[in-house]
Each structure stands twice: as C-alpha cells, then as structure tokens.
Amino acid sequence: MPADPLKSAGPPQTTPPAGGATLAGNPSGAFPAPPAGPRPEQVEVRRSSRRRRTVSAYREGDRTIVMIPARMTVDEERRWVSVMLDKLAAQEDRRMLGDDALAARAAELSERYLQGRARPASVRWVTNQNARWGSCTPALGSIRLSHRLQGMPEYVIDYVLLHELAHLLVPGHGPGFWKLLDRYPRTERARGFLEGVVGAERLPYVPWPRSD
C-alpha cells in the first residue's frame, strides 16, 4: 500500500479545493446573495475561443480559475468573475459540516462500514493540523479533522472520517487496517483526490497566457 495522503497534507491552503461550477446564459438573479467571508486572493481568468456561452470556475490551490469565452468584453468578464466566485462560495458553504454534524456523520459511517464498532467520544474540526488531514487518539476516543477539508467533496471527508474511525479499532497501517478501509467503495478515489491536492500545491505558480 503506498504512503497514505492523510499523513502528507502539504503546505496549508487559503481555500480548500472543491468541485467546479458551471453556468450558461444570463447571470441576473440566478444566485443567492454573496455569503459573508473572505474571497480568494488570486483569481485567474482563462479565455477560450472554443467556448461559446458557458462559463465555469474551480479552485486550484489558493487560486480560483474562471473559464470564459474569448469574445467576452472586459465588463462581462468582471461580472461573470463576481458571479462565479459567489456560486463557488455558496457551494462550499453547503458542504461545510459543523462539529455536531461531523460527529453524526462519523456515527453513520461506523454503522455502515464498521458494524458500529468504532464509537468515538468526540469528533471535531481543528485548525492546527496543516501537515495531515486527520488524526485520532484511541486512548481518548477522539478524532480531529483538519479544517482544510471543509469544502472538499463529501466522499473525501467520509474517507478521512473512516480512516480515523478504523484507527480506533486497528493501530498502524497494516493489512488489517486496509481491509477495513477496503469496505468503503471510494477509498482509492478519495486517496487520489488528496494526493492530487498535495501535488498541485507543490507545483510552482505559472500564470496562464491570456489573449483578449
């Protein structure tokens, strides 16, 4: 089994990577009011002559990439960038679980994949884990997830939760541990996602060439 990405989270992110957002047509009235909170510091606009009407956006490390048709004017570009930032933020807000919801989700996952044998005393988000995605203390029955996971796809958060739940039953990363994780059908996909996040953060930032 290759090195587990939970133990190599890489440098801290300003914004956790999440799924992309795609739209077409008139943005007027299409989205809720912008949620409160900080905006990404870096926004990169990429124009494409192959795009006709669609606009899409996604997170890439601490940047937000907005893809627009090459024919758009500067004013249209500004309007769409604002719209897509709001849409991504709204999507991420919907994905964020509080500590109580996180504990409830852990209980559901334990019942579904571990026959309810893993029963943590506490499950919570923490902001002091930048070198790993999750950790647990079996003696105390406590599980902690890095806040950097907030906004990532649900199956990734579920995988990290299951990873730590399994450690309440089996210490270390031996065959018995991975046998428990193999019960979760998206284990390899989640591991690949986290490895991709770490790999992207280690790449140098090279601005995309832009044509107006």
Side-chain angles (χ1 to χ4, degrees), residues 130-187:
N130 291 321
R132 57 176 62 193
W133 298 114
S135 63
C136 77
T137 304
L140 300 177
S142 61
I143 290 176
R144 299 164 299 279
L145 264 60
S146 172
H147 72 291
R148 297 176 57 209
L149 288 164
Q150 293 177 338
M152 289 191 185
E154 288 182 0
Y155 74 89
V156 175
I157 298 175
D158 283 353
Y159 165 72
V160 178
L161 273 174
L162 270 173
H163 186 109
E164 303 308 333
L165 286 167
H167 275 312
L168 295 179
L169 304 176
V170 179
H173 294 94
F177 174 83
W178 291 112
K179 186 176 180 180
L180 292 178
L181 266 293
D182 284 344
R183 298 174 182 176
Y184 182 56
R186 293 189 172 185
T187 287

Side-chain angles (χ1 to χ4, degrees), residues 5-11 129-133 148 197-198 201-202:
L6 298 196
K7 308 307 176 188
S8 57
Q129 287 192 162
N130 291 321
R132 57 176 62 193
W133 298 114
R148 297 176 57 209
V197 170
V198 173
E201 289 174 342
R202 291 172 178 167

Side-chain angles (χ1 to χ4, degrees), residues 97-120 123 143 154-155 157-159 161-163 165-166 168 183-185:
L97 302 173
D99 286 349
D100 290 343
L102 193 65
R105 184 60 178 167
E108 292 176 9
L109 292 169
S110 178
E111 287 293 334
R112 184 179 303 177
Y113 298 105
L114 303 173
Q115 292 79 48
R117 293 186 296 133
R119 299 180 179 179
V123 184
I143 290 176
E154 288 182 0
Y155 74 89
I157 298 175
D158 283 353
Y159 165 72
L161 273 174
L162 270 173
H163 186 109
L165 286 167
L168 295 179
R183 298 174 182 176
Y184 182 56

